[in-house]
Amino acid sequence: MTTPDNQKPWTNTLPFPRRWLGYIAIKLLVVALGVYLALRWKGVL
């Protein structure tokens, strides 16, 4: 699938265009760690 000349792939607008999947995985890991620590601190876990 090709894109027109005036459009760039959406991944080029990200801070790390070549590693966008890893960037998203790290963000999810940080959020999950934050939720875990918050639940642990509140005594739910």
Side-chain angles (χ1 to χ4, degrees):
M1 188 160 108
T2 60
T3 59
D5 291 335
N6 62 352
Q7 290 184 346
K8 294 181 179 179
W10 63 271
T11 56
N12 286 343
T13 61
L14 297 174
F16 305 104
R18 291 188 175 176
R19 297 179 183 94
W20 66 272
L21 192 58
Y23 184 70
I24 292 172
I26 289 172
K27 279 186 136 183
L28 288 174
L29 184 66
V30 168
V31 169
L33 182 62
V35 169
Y36 170 75
L37 290 175
L39 291 175
R40 181 89 184 216
W41 182 62
K42 285 290 190 178
V44 177
L45 293 179

